[in-house]
Amino acid sequence: MSAFPAADVIRPEIAALAAYHVPDAEGFLKLDAMENPFTLPPALQQELAQHLSQVALNRYPVPSYQQLKQLIADKLGVPAGRPVVLGNGSDELIAMMSVACARPGAKVLAPVPGFVMYAMSAKLAGMEFIGVPCHADLTLDVSAMLEAIQLHHPAITYLAYPNNPTGTLFDTAQMEQILRAVGDTGIVVVDEAYQPFAPATFMSRLDEFPNLVVMRTVSKLGLAGIRLGYMTGHPQLMQEFEKVRPPYNINVLSQAAAEFVLRHVEVLEDQAAILREQRSALAAALAALPGVQVFPSAANFLLIRVANAEQVFAKLVQQKVLVKNVGKMHNLLHDCLRVTVSSAEENASFLAAFAASLETT
């Protein structure tokens, strides 16, 4: 095939990026993506199959998604009267906000290390990304954040609550300071992707902060495969974000599956409770191993630091166990691995493989 002069067509900042990489996990104990390990009970699976079999695949979705939005509000705690904007996962919501806010010279700000899509979506939209390093213990450096806000006047400030990949639940009072510092010159997106595992939320404080957008996903709750995210905030903001939402962005199968499962959301909430218990047990077991530092987590994963993490990661791969090696993401994450909290059985398998990996490095 003849060469194509891509460099003459593609924006240089896009050409300089690396694509988001998802490793092949077939045959592995997969603990790298913060997925819920539990499936629906067999009886609900059968009901869901029957429900999906009746979906009109030959028709586009009803573009308002009103029934799905109402179920999200009723079952997932969105305050009454607040508009809901849907995305094909949180990733699409982040991209939509970037497109909507990408005025000339506009900037995006977030603590780092943080979710990589904040920076990537900013760059894709032609915006400058400003990363503000956290403290060494991975807590928020609020003084540095406030200085950056005053200097850069960001259009979008992201605060993941809890943070990924650290699991940190940032201090509430410090987040309030940031919301007030941004004021009406930008929006503050509180990303609550891991809310089912955290003891706090900003969803109830939307009236207090007109610049607040709360974003969530059903992925971590147990529906990663259907790719559904949602956000809410001031009605005027949501109206503007709706303008950049692709039409029919939630397909009819995802819509039908979400509507069915949300009517049985207590099943997923019970699973989240089990995972919270397993998080405590796994953290204690890891901390008991020599040379392992476990960071506090309010999410469904644990960040750990261990000497020679690269070698430990490689040993785990040899044993068909896949965790996330985050050591190169940021200098604060040197020698760190991120592991999804799973079922008791999978956690035990991971611990055995991890202990063996420590002994051979």
Side-chain angles (χ1 to χ4, degrees), residues 28 46 55 60 84 91 97 126 132 148 173 203 232-233 285 333-334 356:
F28 280 75
Q46 290 300 316
V55 172
Y60 288 112
V84 173
D91 297 338
M97 287 186 282
V132 179
M203 187 67 84
T232 187
L333 298 178
H334 177 68

Side-chain angles (χ1 to χ4, degrees), residues 165 293 295 301-306 308-314 316 323-327 333-339 350 354 358:
Q293 179 184 6
F295 290 90
F301 60 85
L302 294 171
L303 183 75
I304 59 177
R305 175 169 283 135
V306 60
N308 303 313
E310 291 275 355
Q311 293 93 321
V312 172
F313 175 79
L316 286 171
V323 300
K324 184 74 171 181
N325 183 3
V326 298
L333 298 178
H334 177 68
D335 269 341
C336 284
L337 304 173
R338 187 194 66 197
V339 55
F350 161 71
F354 183 68
L358 293 178

Side-chain angles (χ1 to χ4, degrees), residues 76-80 82 161 172 176 179 190 192 195 199-210 212-216 232-233:
L76 299 178
V78 176
R82 287 285 173 176
Y161 191 67
T172 301
E176 292 168 356
L179 279 155
V190 175
E192 296 189 348
Q195 185 276 330
T201 174
F202 268 76
M203 187 67 84
S204 61
R205 307 192 66 180
L206 289 165
D207 287 340
E208 188 177 347
F209 299 104
L212 170 63
V213 174
V214 176
M215 178 174 67
R216 291 180 179 174
T232 187

Side-chain angles (χ1 to χ4, degrees), residues 42-53:
L44 277 185
Q45 290 183 18
Q46 290 300 316
E47 287 185 47
L48 176 59
Q50 179 64 26
H51 182 67
L52 294 180
S53 72

Side-chain angles (χ1 to χ4, degrees), residues 3 99 138 151 192 236 288 308 354:
V99 169
L138 304 178
L151 177 63
E192 296 189 348
Q236 286 178 288
N308 303 313
F354 183 68

Side-chain angles (χ1 to χ4, degrees), residues 94-117:
I94 294 168
M96 287 160 52
M97 287 186 282
S98 297
V99 169
C101 297
R103 300 174 69 176
K107 299 177 182 180
V108 173
L109 186 143
V112 290
F115 185 35
V116 296
M117 292 308 297

Side-chain angles (χ1 to χ4, degrees), residues 318-346:
Q318 290 175 6
Q319 297 174 81
K320 293 294 184 178
V321 176
L322 191 61
V323 300
K324 184 74 171 181
N325 183 3
V326 298
K328 294 181 180 179
M329 284 181 60
H330 194 274
N331 60 355
L332 289 173
L333 298 178
H334 177 68
D335 269 341
C336 284
L337 304 173
R338 187 194 66 197
V339 55
T340 304
V341 176
S342 190
S343 64
E345 295 76 15
E346 290 196 347

